[in-house]
Amino acid sequence: MAAKPGIPKGTRDFSPVEMAKRNYIFNTIRDVYHLYGFQQIETPSMEMLSTLMGKYGEEGDKLLFKIQNSGDYFSGITDEELLSRNAAKLASKFCEKGLRYDLTVPFARYVVMHRDEITFPFKRYQIQPVWRADRPQKGRYREFYQCDADVVGSDSLLNEVELMQIVDTVFTRFGIRVCIKINNRKILTGIAEIIGEADKIVDITVAIDKLDKIGLDNVNKELAEKGISEEAIAKLQPIILLSGTNAEKLATLKTVLSDSETGLKGVEESEFILDTLQTMGLKNEIELDLTLARGLNYYTGAIFEVKALDVQIGSITGGGRYDNLTGVFGMAGVSGVGISFGADRIFDVLNQLELYPKEAVNGTQLLFINFGEKEAAFAMGILSKARAAGIRAEIFPDAAKMKKQMSYANVKNIPFVAIVGENEMNEGKAMLKNMESGEQQLVTAEELIGALTK
């Protein structure tokens, strides 16, 4: 007996209805990106491991899916190396390529490779899948789509402002209530300086970024395990638990970080972004959150994260400013800032809140019943006119029993059925049936098109 087929954990199949929902998500995001002048690119699913490794921190590197070399990948490997069972070392010999972990690092590689063709500032968006060798759980997948927008070649904070407007517009269109969280890596660097642990900035940010997931006690435990002193951890508590309005938090930070030039620069940048957005009439809340660290090492300025307010799920959008990313590919001095919508998590949120518009998930609008060769030939003429008018229409391919064809329409939620029998053919018309109300009317091809395109 053949083994039952399956798919890898953390991946999913999508039905036609689910794909209609996903395309609604992609098209909504794409439309908003176009409103703000972003242009689309695509990059390969796999990159050289040399492009990917070392860009996401130690934890990120562990989550890279590596692709085994083709051919004799044992050549050049000694018996001693094989017997050592050192997985990391062997992987570096067996694998030269890996599946992309995100779209930002491949984008930086793209910018460097195509610098002579690009006009700066370059505003690109990219909607493609990414892969992470993570432990699958609710809202966390091994294969998922990101919908990125980045601006490179400009230091202006107006880019950050516009990206937050994009986030607000997209979620307003979806009908999802969100909180947009903002912080700045310069503020976090300043905090590390004033508590006397400037060289531990990465350890501090990785730990406090987990506050929502593991709680304050476990964050403090992780900080201690990383060698951060009890005194420094104590100084950190009132800062990461700072409360009040955005203005109150900024005022406190100006005092707390008065001895840190870098920290004050972060406060100044955050203040500009928040003050400018206040005049833009955002529909969603925006909050300065000092526990937001975003573990990726390449962020250098403003960082963002979006939480859905009515569903328990992780971040559904994130991003930030990265000043040094293209430098690792030999192109220094190109600043960038970007955001990434997590399409798969947005898909889950829209499903839970039942926010898909009816027209977004409906497929075929009109089904022609097939009574036989002669009737089908007549129906095809009307069908062609309907499609030319933009109506999504199909004909049942077989002259099956009427009950089977009507059942097909019901299962596919097709709202209208056209019946063409001998009487209808004699009059040069079709009987149009509304499947919801049961109402029927004899119509010409033009009347049928008019009824469905109202």
Side-chain angles (χ1 to χ4, degrees):
M1 183 176 173
K4 187 178 177 183
I7 58 175
K9 287 183 179 178
T11 65
R12 294 177 288 177
D13 288 323
F14 294 103
S15 69
V17 170
E18 289 169 326
M19 279 311 304
K21 291 178 176 181
R22 288 169 69 77
N23 284 329
Y24 165 68
I25 294 170
F26 298 142
N27 292 337
T28 300
I29 293 169
R30 186 181 286 111
D31 288 347
V32 176
Y33 282 162
H34 286 162
L35 276 179
Y36 285 79
F38 286 78
Q39 296 177 297
Q40 187 172 16
I41 68 163
E42 287 196 349
T43 59
S45 298
M46 55 183 169
E47 296 274 350
M48 303 304 294
L49 276 177
S50 56
T51 297
L52 301 174
M53 293 291 287
K55 312 303 188 302
Y56 306 106
E58 190 178 334
E59 292 191 10
D61 281 352
K62 292 175 185 173
L63 301 181
L64 287 171
F65 272 114
K66 298 172 178 67
I67 298 172
Q68 185 175 286
N69 295 340
S70 54
D72 183 9
Y73 51 83
F74 282 108
S75 64
I77 298 175
T78 65
D79 290 347
E80 187 182 352
E81 285 173 324
L82 282 172
L83 291 170
S84 73
R85 302 176 67 85
N86 185 325
K89 191 172 181 181
L90 287 171
S92 69
K93 299 276 183 95
F94 287 164
C95 310
E96 294 175 348
K97 299 173 285 293
L99 294 177
R100 58 171 174 249
Y101 176 94
D102 72 352
L103 299 177
T104 307
V105 170
F107 173 53
R109 189 265 312 148
Y110 176 95
V111 170
V112 173
M113 286 186 67
H114 298 272
R115 67 180 91 183
D116 295 333
E117 307 154 30
I118 291 172
T119 301
F120 293 101
F122 181 40
K123 300 172 78 171
R124 88 79 167 86
Y125 77 88
Q126 202 169 338
I127 299 176
Q128 288 186 274
V130 299
W131 294 267
R132 296 184 185 178
D134 212 343
R135 185 171 62 86
Q137 53 186 287
K138 183 178 171 59
R140 189 182 291 273
Y141 305 101
R142 285 175 170 168
E143 178 186 57
F144 55 97
Y145 268 75
Q146 288 185 338
C147 309
D148 282 20
D150 289 81
V151 186
V152 294
S154 170
D155 297 320
S156 173
L157 292 172
L158 288 178
N159 296 313
E160 278 86 339
V161 170
E162 286 210 328
L163 289 172
M164 293 304 93
Q165 288 180 282
I166 286 172
V167 168
D168 184 65
T169 303
V170 165
F171 286 111
T172 299
R173 290 191 179 191
F174 285 144
I176 299 173
R177 294 192 319 120
V178 298
C179 177
I180 303 168
K181 293 177 178 287
I182 181 173
N183 197 7
N184 196 297
R185 288 298 289 256
K186 294 184 179 79
I187 291 176
L188 294 170
T189 299
I191 290 169
E193 286 175 6
I194 61 138
I195 66 170
E197 298 282 2
D199 59 329
K200 297 284 180 63
I201 177 63
V202 172
D203 291 333
I204 292 170
T205 56
V206 166
I208 68 173
D209 194 42
K210 299 175 183 174
L211 186 68
D212 280 352
K213 302 181 191 82
I214 64 175
L216 184 61
D217 290 344
N218 285 322
V219 167
N220 290 337
K221 182 181 175 185
E222 185 171 321
L223 289 168
E225 287 170 355
K226 294 291 185 180
I228 294 161
S229 70
E230 282 186 30
E231 182 187 357
I233 294 171
K235 284 181 182 177
L236 196 57
Q237 304 309 293
I239 299 171
I240 62 175
L241 296 174
L242 191 63
S243 59
T245 65
N246 291 334
E248 288 167 346
K249 289 176 185 175
L250 288 167
T252 302
L253 285 170
K254 285 177 185 176
T255 303
V256 171
L257 298 175
S258 58
D259 293 333
S260 170
E261 186 180 343
T262 301
L264 288 177
K265 180 66 175 169
V267 173
E268 180 190 327
E269 290 177 3
S270 301
E271 191 167 38
F272 175 84
I273 295 166
L274 290 165
D275 286 352
T276 307
L277 286 170
Q278 202 166 15
T279 68
M280 298 295 172
L282 295 190
K283 302 289 192 300
N284 291 283
E285 174 190 358
I286 185 160
E287 175 195 348
L288 179 65
D289 182 355
L290 296 185
T291 68
L292 173 61
R294 293 197 62 77
L296 300 180
N297 289 339
Y298 53 64
Y299 291 123
T300 54
I303 45 179
F304 319 108
E305 204 157 272
V306 179
K307 301 279 188 182
L309 296 178
D310 300 315
V311 170
Q312 280 291 103
I313 198 166
S315 163
I316 54 177
T317 298
R321 166 73 63 173
Y322 45 90
D323 285 337
N324 310 317
L325 194 60
T326 56
V328 300
F329 298 121
M331 186 178 175
V334 179
S335 182
V337 59
I339 54 171
S340 179
F341 289 95
D344 294 82
R345 288 187 177 181
I346 293 171
F347 174 83
D348 289 346
V349 171
L350 288 169
N351 273 337
Q352 287 184 56
L353 300 178
E354 297 182 347
L355 289 174
Y356 289 101
K358 194 174 179 181
E359 61 272 16
V361 295
N362 283 350
T364 302
Q365 297 168 275
L366 173 66
L367 173 71
F368 282 83
I369 299 297
N370 186 342
F371 286 120
E373 193 175 323
K374 189 169 60 170
E375 291 86 352
F378 180 88
M380 288 291 285
I382 305 176
L383 175 62
S384 296
K385 291 179 181 177
R387 286 174 175 160
I391 295 166
R392 300 184 300 278
E394 60 180 291
I395 185 168
F396 199 84
D398 305 302
K401 289 182 179 178
M402 178 82 156
K403 184 179 179 182
K404 180 178 180 179
Q405 297 188 53
M406 297 299 272
S407 175
Y408 175 85
N410 282 324
V411 169
K412 289 190 69 177
N413 289 316
I414 299 173
F416 290 93
V417 164
I419 300 166
V420 179
E422 191 172 339
N423 292 337
E424 288 79 17
M425 287 172 60
N426 289 337
E427 294 196 41
K429 295 182 178 181
M431 186 66 73
L432 183 65
K433 180 173 182 175
N434 184 316
M435 294 295 283
E436 191 172 336
S437 67
E439 182 185 333
Q440 295 187 167
Q441 55 178 324
L442 195 62
V443 294
T444 63
E446 289 70 26
E447 288 169 340
L448 179 148
I449 289 166
L452 270 76
T453 54
K454 279 181 188 175

